[in-house]
Structures are given as structure tokens and as C-alpha cells.
Amino acid sequence: MDSLPTSMKPERRGRSKPLPTSSPSIVMAFFSCLAWLYVAGRLWQDAENRTLLTGLLKKNLDQRPKVLSVEDKLAVLGCKDLERRIVEAEMELTLAKSQGFLKNKMQKSSSSSGQKLLAVIGVYTGFGSRLKRNMFRGSWMPRGDALKKLEERGVVIRFVIGRSANRGDSLDRNIDEENRTTKDILILEGHEEAQEELPKKAKIFFSTAIQMWDAEFYVKVDDNINLDLEGLVELLDRRRGHDGAYIGCMKSGDVISEEGKPWYEPEWWKFGDEKSYFRHASGSLFILSKNLAQYININSASLKTYAHDDTSVGSWMMGIQSTFIDDSHLCCSSTAQDKVCSLA
């Protein structure tokens, strides 16, 4: 029996719905991708930099000299090696001077009889003091033949001056011309003539004078005083043979610590709480025996200078076996009574 056909309804195949995707997730994924790319790029760049630096360091090490240059040593040691060498050279120079190994390039002068001079007198002067020099030449200071006769008696007198800051200018030329005429000026070639350089002038004067003349005494005189020359010669003659003599009008005094005031001392703090100078001879006129002048000559490179020449010389005399001789005849004042000097 044939079965009856049954009607079949076609199956409906439904389409699946897409899963919902949120917008924030997509944004986060995008930024995560960017972050990854950034980190990867930095790591690659750092690796490349390290490779480059490693190559440069290796190249520099290969090219580095086995023996360091002077520049390398100075950079590494901070100039200590150079400083040590300078100190050693100064010590060797001092030893050579003291033992007489250096040749004296300046011809020594003495009296015609060949005996040692009594004194070398240096009168400090400056470029603007020609009128003062002429005044002294017309009063207490001999000139011409009289100056030569005084040297025969054993006393040499010279005006003492340095060189201009502008070497070879009209100031230097005028001094050279004046000296050619008068022959009474000692020109300190290694000294720059300036007020602030006076303490150094003392070192150079005594060093130069003792190399040029062999004398019992070396005298420093300011150019603002009149000198009783015969009285000074008599005073020195009585002191002949007195080694270690530091002679002058001895004084002390307050250290001026206020900048801008007369006699200001920049290193005032070194003189203690009371700020008083040690005992020293007045700068107007003081005298050193030969061995003290020789001491300055030998040790000039290491001698400390202060603001003034008289305190500087006094400080040098403090540390050695010198005899301080306080002579009131050397205390220059407005009156010449019982004095060998008076204010001009």
C-alpha cells in the first residue's frame, strides 16, 4: 500500500548574530600596539648606541699612547707634577746661588784700590720724579767727577728705577737718555715700575746691587728725604764688620684692614686679632749688611711680600739670625737736628 506523501516544510537556517565588540577595547588594542612598537624601537636604538660606544671606546684604547704626554699628565694630576718640578728647580737654583756656581753676568765694581766698598746707596725714584732727582743732584748727591771721587772713597750712590709696563716707550727712552748723561741711575730690567710693585722692587734692588758691587752695607733711601751724606758715611764706618746688621728707625704700628684707606694691607688677617705689625725699620731709610742682602739675593724667589716694602723686608729679617739695630739718627723728620735724614 502506497503511503501517502506527506508534505515537508523546508528547514529555515537562521544566520548567527555577530558578537558585539566594544569601541574602548579597540582603542586599547591600538595603543597597546603603539606602545609595543615604541618600546621595541627604544630597545633597538639603545642597543645600537651601546654598540657604537663600545666601538669608539675600543678604537680609543687601541690608539691611546703607551707613554702619557705632558698634557695627559697635567690633566690627570691637576698640575701637581709641574708644581713639584718648579719647587725642585727653585731649590736647585737656590743651592747653586749659595755655592757660587752661577756666573755673574754683571761686572762688579769697587774702589780703585781694590778694597771692599763701604756702602751702596739706592735712592728709589720714579718716572715722574726727574725734578726731584735734579734737586738732589744740586744738593746732597754728588754728580760728575764728584760722584766718581765718592766711589773711590768706597760709597756708590744710584737712583733706582724699574722699567715701564710698556717696554721701550717714551718713559723708558727718557730714563735711558738721562742715565747716559748723568751715569747715576741703576735701572732694574726685571722690575715693572709701579706703586703696587714696591715690595718686589726691594728684592730686585738688593739682589742686583750685591751682584754688581761688593760692599759692607746696602742702603735703601726714599726720594722724599734729604740726606746728610757725610753723617751717614760716618754712621756706617762705625758699623764696619758688623754681620747680620738690620739698621734703621725701628717701629711697629696698626695694620690697616679697611680697603681704600692709606697703607691698606690686603693680608691684614695674618697679623692676629690685635692687627699690629711686627718690629721693622721705617721704609724711608734702612740698611742691610752684606750677608743679609746676600740672603735676599739667594732666596728672592721664595720670599713673601706684603703691601709695603718696609714690612716685607722686616718679615724677611724676622726669620733669620739678624740683629735689629734701632738708631734714632735714621728717624727722618722735618728737622735735620741730630739726624742723617730729613723730610724733603
Side-chain angles (χ1 to χ4, degrees), residues 21-31:
T21 303
S22 61
S23 295
S25 298
I26 296 175
V27 173
M28 288 296 294
F30 175 73
F31 280 110

Side-chain angles (χ1 to χ4, degrees), residues 82-102:
L82 179 60
E83 182 180 1
R84 177 181 59 81
R85 290 175 181 272
I86 291 174
V87 171
E88 290 177 353
E90 288 181 347
M91 293 176 64
E92 291 174 359
L93 178 61
T94 298
L95 180 61
K97 279 186 175 182
S98 65
Q99 295 178 347
F101 290 157
L102 291 184

Side-chain angles (χ1 to χ4, degrees), residues 158-162 179 184-188 205 208-209 212-213:
R158 293 290 187 273
F159 290 108
V160 182
I161 192 170
N179 190 36
D184 60 2
I185 301 177
L186 172 60
I187 301 175
L188 305 177
F205 163 61
T208 303
M212 293 186 68
W213 297 284

Side-chain angles (χ1 to χ4, degrees), residues 37 39 84 125 166 173 213 234 241 265 281 335:
L37 290 174
V39 171
R84 177 181 59 81
T125 189
N166 303 312
R173 292 195 299 271
W213 297 284
E234 291 177 8
E265 172 59 70
T335 176

Side-chain angles (χ1 to χ4, degrees), residues 73-132:
K73 288 184 179 181
L74 292 179
V76 174
L77 300 177
C79 295
K80 289 184 179 180
D81 185 61
L82 179 60
E83 182 180 1
R84 177 181 59 81
R85 290 175 181 272
I86 291 174
V87 171
E88 290 177 353
E90 288 181 347
M91 293 176 64
E92 291 174 359
L93 178 61
T94 298
L95 180 61
K97 279 186 175 182
S98 65
Q99 295 178 347
F101 290 157
L102 291 184
K103 292 184 179 180
N104 188 358
K105 295 182 179 180
M106 299 182 182
Q107 185 177 3
K108 291 191 175 183
S109 172
S110 61
S111 63
S112 58
S113 62
Q115 70 179 69
K116 177 186 286 188
L117 296 170
L118 173 62
V120 175
I121 302 173
V123 183
Y124 279 21
T125 189
F127 291 115
S129 300
R130 183 159 188 170
L131 291 178
K132 281 187 178 180

